[in-house]
Amino acid sequence: MGDIVANDLKRTPLHALHEALGAKFAPFAGYEMPIQYPGGILAEHHHVREKAGLFDVSHMGQGFLTPVDWDMGPDASDADHAAISALLGELTPSDLAGLERGEMRYSLLLNDDGGVEDDFMVARAWTSDSQGMLFLVVNAACKDADFDLIDRKLKGRANLLRAEHRALLALQGPKATDVAAQICPAANNMVFMNARRMPTTIDGVEMDTIWSRSGYTGEDGFEISVPTEHARSLADALLAHNDVKPIGLGARDSLRLEAGLCLYGHDMDAARTPVEASLTWAVAKSRRERADFPGAARILKQIEDKPAERRVGLRLLDKAPAREGADIATKSGEIIGKITSGGPGPSYGAPIAMGYVARAYAAPGTELDIIVRERPRAAEVVKTPFVRQNYYRG
């Protein structure tokens, strides 16, 4: 299908294109993925902030979830959406029933103790004949476990189609709309967190594409799901635009860090609740009132009493970045937390990091130290995102 296996690492359908573009590869989530291209990570980072970058994120997991007795067609209805939303809602704290047609939402899969098994995106179908279908995009490293969890919990009540026949591209940056206008003009009618299944035609060939106005960089842009057999022609068409360059996972990480976005398995995991991860906003008010989601007792208690630790943003006061796993300490040397993500902030102008600290030290402006090679380095707690998010909201 979409994945090619080589040397025990999977490859995306665009692997040959990355090779032709001179990519440097490294293992990531079981895939051989492009980390950077000849221009380097810093240049790629700035290009996305200034123009537009194309990311291959085909390693992510895509799927379609429907009720077991559902049929696409004229009989599909809002009741079908309500049914599938209620089912998936058993695993998340989100208000999925409140999704409008063609709307996408950031959500969380929770375990029975309220820990985050993964974060993911979920979209309601746009067209009338597809009501009752939800489109899911989950993280690459967790996709098998996520889909197995959904299958197990909803067995006999919902059908999950794992869309391994589809690739996923991300076009990100302030020039993304100009590029989209030439490829699929209707995409520019969407606002942030809209998703629509609509055809894209390139060189006379119509492709079954799903466009969402979303991304992982803090910039305006789109994520485009496309059948595997059309992935190369779509990528070539996007890269033919003068403002578009290929971008690897190295710059993707620095961009998402500046945008204050979590990386699953680092900034949150199955032991952390949404409250501890500073994602309380992802727990819908209606769900709090009903207390009908996994781990509700623990999560609602933390919302009321405040958690012992919180995820915070940190700005380092010298030029060298701190990396994941470094201890966070008070000025008197007491260890109060750990770095979960860290690196340079090319657009921010200083090294940045995220990590967990004891609640008493979570306020912006708090002066702390990060221990690097057994030496304290000055840092302060700052608000996230580190750079302004430029999502298009209409």
Side-chain angles (χ1 to χ4, degrees):
M1 300 290 282
D3 296 334
I4 304 167
V5 180
N7 301 322
D8 297 325
L9 289 175
K10 295 179 181 178
R11 292 175 171 177
T12 75
L14 293 177
H15 191 272
L17 174 60
H18 302 313
E19 287 184 319
L21 293 170
K24 178 180 179 181
F25 295 92
F28 182 81
Y31 284 78
E32 187 176 30
M33 293 296 294
I35 300 302
Q36 67 179 75
Y37 297 88
I41 293 174
L42 183 62
E44 292 174 25
H45 178 108
H46 286 303
H47 189 84
V48 174
R49 291 277 186 247
E50 296 164 6
K51 294 186 178 180
L54 182 66
F55 301 79
D56 177 12
V57 288
S58 301
H59 59 315
M60 304 285 280
Q62 302 179 68
F64 299 95
L65 189 70
T66 65
V68 290
D69 56 353
W70 178 85
D71 288 311
M72 178 185 289
D75 294 331
S77 69
D78 290 344
D80 292 304
H81 171 69
I84 197 60
S85 296
L87 290 173
L88 187 57
E90 295 177 12
L91 310 181
T92 85
S94 301
D95 175 18
L96 301 180
L99 281 169
E100 300 291 339
R101 294 188 180 199
E103 184 181 4
M104 176 174 271
R105 184 160 294 164
Y106 175 87
S107 191
L108 304 167
L109 283 175
L110 301 181
N111 58 37
D112 291 340
D113 196 36
V116 180
E117 292 292 333
D118 197 10
D119 59 343
F120 70 106
M121 304 296 284
V122 53
R124 179 180 178 179
W126 167 251
T127 57
S128 293
D129 63 355
S130 297
Q131 294 308 303
M133 175 186 288
L134 295 176
F135 175 54
L136 313 179
V137 180
V138 303
N139 282 304
C142 307
K143 62 184 179 182
D144 290 336
D146 289 351
F147 289 150
D148 287 347
L149 173 66
I150 293 170
D151 273 334
R152 185 173 70 255
K153 293 286 189 177
L154 304 184
K155 185 176 182 180
R157 297 183 292 158
N159 290 328
L160 175 65
L161 171 65
R162 305 186 188 198
E164 296 174 354
H165 59 293
R166 302 185 73 89
L168 190 65
L169 307 181
L171 178 69
Q172 300 283 290
K175 297 292 186 180
T177 54
D178 295 339
V179 179
Q182 298 180 26
I183 302 294
C184 183
N188 282 346
N189 296 328
M190 299 190 299
V191 298
F192 181 57
M193 297 301 275
N194 279 181
R196 297 183 185 177
R197 191 170 198 161
M198 50 193 176
T200 301
T201 301
I202 295 175
D203 294 333
V205 178
E206 186 176 281
M207 308 172 184
D208 171 28
T209 49
I210 302 171
W211 289 70
S212 63
R213 199 150 191 174
S214 60
Y216 196 48
T217 63
E219 296 296 331
D220 186 20
F222 304 89
E223 292 185 321
I224 313 160
S225 174
V226 59
T228 295
E229 64 268 25
H230 298 310
R232 177 63 185 264
S233 59
L234 177 60
D236 286 342
L238 294 169
L239 289 169
H241 197 289
N242 289 334
D243 287 330
V244 181
K245 289 185 177 181
I247 310 296
L249 294 188
R252 181 174 164 86
D253 192 55
S254 60
L255 289 159
R256 71 89 190 169
L257 179 56
E258 285 189 336
L261 303 175
C262 291
L263 176 62
Y264 188 80
H266 300 257
D267 307 302
M268 57 181 165
D269 55 37
R272 297 283 186 182
T273 69
V275 185
E276 293 168 325
S278 297
L279 296 172
T280 305
W281 55 267
V283 183
K285 181 180 178 181
S286 61
R287 304 299 303 277
R288 299 182 202 183
E289 292 171 350
R290 297 197 301 269
D292 62 348
F293 55 89
R298 178 187 178 193
I299 289 172
L300 293 175
K301 181 174 176 56
Q302 287 184 342
I303 291 174
E304 179 71 22
D305 298 341
K306 309 302 180 187
E309 293 185 325
R310 291 292 301 271
R311 178 177 62 88
V312 299
L314 294 157
R315 176 182 184 271
L316 281 78
L317 302 184
D318 58 23
K319 294 184 178 181
R323 300 299 181 183
E324 178 182 356
D327 286 328
I328 305 170
T330 66
K331 286 298 183 180
S332 62
E334 178 188 358
I335 303 299
I336 56 164
K338 282 190 179 293
I339 298 296
T340 54
S341 287
S347 303
Y348 184 70
I352 53 177
M354 293 193 297
Y356 284 84
V357 298
R359 185 174 76 238
Y361 302 95
T366 302
E367 296 182 354
L368 298 170
D369 284 328
I370 297 175
I371 310 303
V372 180
R373 297 188 181 91
E374 301 183 354
R375 297 181 61 183
R377 294 175 47 215
E380 67 173 334
V381 178
V382 297
K383 291 182 179 180
T384 59
F386 298 95
V387 300
R388 187 182 69 177
Q389 295 173 340
N390 293 313
Y391 306 128
Y392 177 70
R393 301 181 187 275

